[in-house]
Structure formats: C-alpha cells, structure tokens
Amino acid sequence: MTAGDFNGDGYQDLGLVTEQSVGVVYGSSRIRQHPPWPRIVKKSSEINALAAGDVTGDGIDDLVAAFSDDDPADEGKGAVYRGSSGGLRVVAGRTFDAWGVQALGVGDVNGDGFGDVIAGNSYADAADPGGQIYVHRGSPKGLTPKGVLISQDSRGLLAGSVDGDGFGGYLAVDDINHDGYADVAVSAPAKFAGKGAAFLLYGEKNRLPGEGAQIIEPGDVLDAQHVQSFGASLQLSDFNKDGRADLALAIPTESAVAVLPGSSDGVNTTRPTFISPDQNTRPGRTSALAAY
C-alpha cells in the first residue's frame, strides 16, 4: 500500500490492494473503515507495487501502480492515475512497461518540477540478471513510456553486476543531501556473496547519474563477519528533522535496523544508530553489533 493526498484536501489518502485490484480510502476527520472503496485498477491478476507522488506537477499527488492484467499474454504494465480535486480519476498519459517490477518510488530527481517514477526489477532473467532500476521522467501529461535503465554496470557505478545480486528489489526516494533533488536508495541484498549492499544515487539537474553514487557495504557500518542480506529492505525519511532524509537499513541476521543520517555530503556511515528488539540504540547483543 501507499499514502498520498490524491484529492488535494490536506488529508492523506491510502492506496491499497484489495482482491486483485487497487482501491483508495480517502482521508478525512473520520476515515472510512469498510468497503465500498473506489477501485482504481478494476481487476488484475496481480498487483506488484504501488507508490504515490506528484508526477504531473499540479500540486496533487498521483498514484502509480505496477500490475499484470488477467491475461496470460500480459507481462506487466505500469500506470499513473492522476490526482484531482475529485480524487483519482483517469490514467495520465501512456502506460509503461512494468514486467518484473517489484518496487516503485516517486521523486523529482532531475529538478524539473515533475515527479519521476523509479521502478525496480531484480529478477535474474531481466535485462540485467543482477537487477536494475528504470527512471521514467514525469511531465504534465504523465510519464515518458520508455524508462532509462540503470544497473550496477552503468557508467559511474561499475560495481560489477552478478547474477542474482537482487539490485532493485527494494528502493526508496527522498532528498538525502537537501539540495532540492530527490535521491534514490536501492538495495542489493545478495551482493558480495550474499552479505548485501545498498546503493545511493544522487539526483542532479536533468538526470539521475551513476557518477557520484555511494555504495554502502556491511563493513562500513558494523562488523560484517557474519552478516547476510544487509539492506534486505530500506527506507528514506527525515527521522531527526534536520531537513535531510536519513537511511534505514534492515539487517535480518542481526534482528536489527541501522539508521544512517543524511548530510550535505550524502549518507554518513560513521554515526549509525542501531535499533533492535532489545534496546533502541547500540544493542551490541551480537558479535556484529558489539563493536559499535
């Protein structure tokens, strides 16, 4: 599910998956707890991902969905449902190819005033077997139908894509360095022989470049000897209210989450805060966390 203000009334609305379709629950002083809810995607064999953001630049959030129609010939498509004062109504522009897309995010990575859609596909039989993301540029009419592919082998990244790395299975979009451009965090939980990694791609004028990308490995944050699937899921949000998005990374083998603060230079790996069921800061109950 996802949340955004799809009708511009100041209340957050909820987009959710219901019985092979997508419905929307509009926020108010008394939110509707039970159906009927307006259905946006009427019927689908599978809903793969949802995201919210202002793709069309009109000040009202739109809903982005990746889904497969109930048709064996359909390999997956994505659509932007335009927000308006009357709520979500029609598809803005063309649909886009969303075969294998498992994750979506929306943010203005190129500073043109329109939210861009980032779509992640980590399937090993996709264009890059190590995983990839696609950047679809927003506009008043919706998205560019053909996205720009970014993988670990893209110019500036050169991390060496390996089959099954899982790059693009999870992603998050927000402004880490407070420069006015949205940045993208991408997980690769099977990178480095299963230890995992997270990639930070920093937005700039006219593009989302590979140059200047930041790769965070487990050893940058904690004793990585026994760590597996670092960054299996991740989130960007301004947890400390300093105007910069911070990065939260799951560490499943440690039953912990590492929170790394954002800064003008990017994500700071030298001051991690560890959150675990045992205590909120620096748990240290396992060998991996003890050094911190």
Side-chain angles (χ1 to χ4, degrees):
M1 56 185 159
T2 190
D5 184 2
F6 302 128
N7 55 9
D9 65 355
Y11 291 99
Q12 287 289 295
D13 310 310
L14 185 64
L16 47 82
V17 177
T18 60
E19 297 179 358
Q20 299 180 321
S21 66
V22 176
V24 59
V25 181
Y26 289 102
S28 69
S29 57
R30 295 186 64 185
I31 194 167
R32 181 186 287 271
Q33 295 176 278
H34 305 289
W37 301 309
R39 289 188 177 185
I40 308 306
V41 178
K42 300 299 183 183
K43 185 178 180 182
S44 172
S45 60
E46 186 173 2
I47 309 297
N48 300 316
L50 296 176
D54 186 8
V55 174
T56 56
D58 60 1
I60 300 176
D61 287 334
D62 309 303
L63 178 69
V64 186
F67 56 92
S68 299
D69 283 336
D70 191 12
D71 180 348
D74 179 61
E75 294 187 337
K77 66 180 68 172
V80 176
Y81 295 87
R82 186 188 296 271
S84 71
S85 59
L88 295 168
R89 295 298 188 190
V90 297
V91 174
R94 300 178 180 178
T95 59
F96 61 94
D97 181 13
W99 178 87
V101 167
Q102 303 148 280
L104 290 169
V106 180
D108 185 6
V109 299
N110 57 8
D112 64 356
F114 304 100
D116 308 300
V117 171
I118 317 299
N121 180 341
S122 66
Y123 284 116
D125 53 356
D128 186 319
Q132 54 263 293
I133 63 172
Y134 295 88
V135 182
H136 297 268
R137 295 185 64 169
S139 77
K141 296 182 179 180
L143 295 178
T144 54
K146 187 173 179 59
V148 175
L149 184 151
I150 297 177
S151 77
Q152 296 174 84
D153 289 331
S154 293
R155 180 180 177 182
L157 279 177
L158 300 178
S161 182
V162 176
D163 290 13
D165 276 347
F167 179 87
Y170 290 90
L171 60 85
V173 184
D174 208 333
D175 188 357
I176 295 168
N177 51 14
H178 196 54
D179 64 354
Y181 299 96
D183 309 307
V184 181
V186 186
S187 72
K191 189 70 178 171
F192 303 123
K195 288 187 176 295
F199 292 72
L200 286 308
L201 285 73
Y202 293 95
E204 66 176 42
K205 187 175 182 179
N206 296 326
R207 61 179 182 153
L208 180 69
E211 292 88 343
Q214 184 179 2
I215 303 175
I216 301 176
E217 303 178 32
D220 297 330
V221 178
L222 73 169
D223 178 357
Q225 183 177 357
H226 303 292
V227 170
Q228 293 287 305
S229 302
F230 177 81
S233 62
L234 48 75
Q235 181 64 50
L236 286 173
S237 192
D238 185 8
F239 298 114
N240 58 8
K241 206 174 180 180
D242 66 352
R244 299 178 175 89
D246 311 303
L247 175 65
L249 291 163
I251 315 173
T253 51
E254 307 304 320
S255 299
V257 171
V259 180
L260 310 177
S263 74
S264 58
D265 297 320
V267 167
N268 186 338
T269 61
T270 64
R271 295 189 296 112
T273 296
F274 294 106
I275 301 172
S276 81
D278 295 324
Q279 60 186 54
N280 287 337
T281 307
R282 305 169 91 83
R285 290 286 184 91
T286 68
S287 59
L289 298 179
Y292 290 82

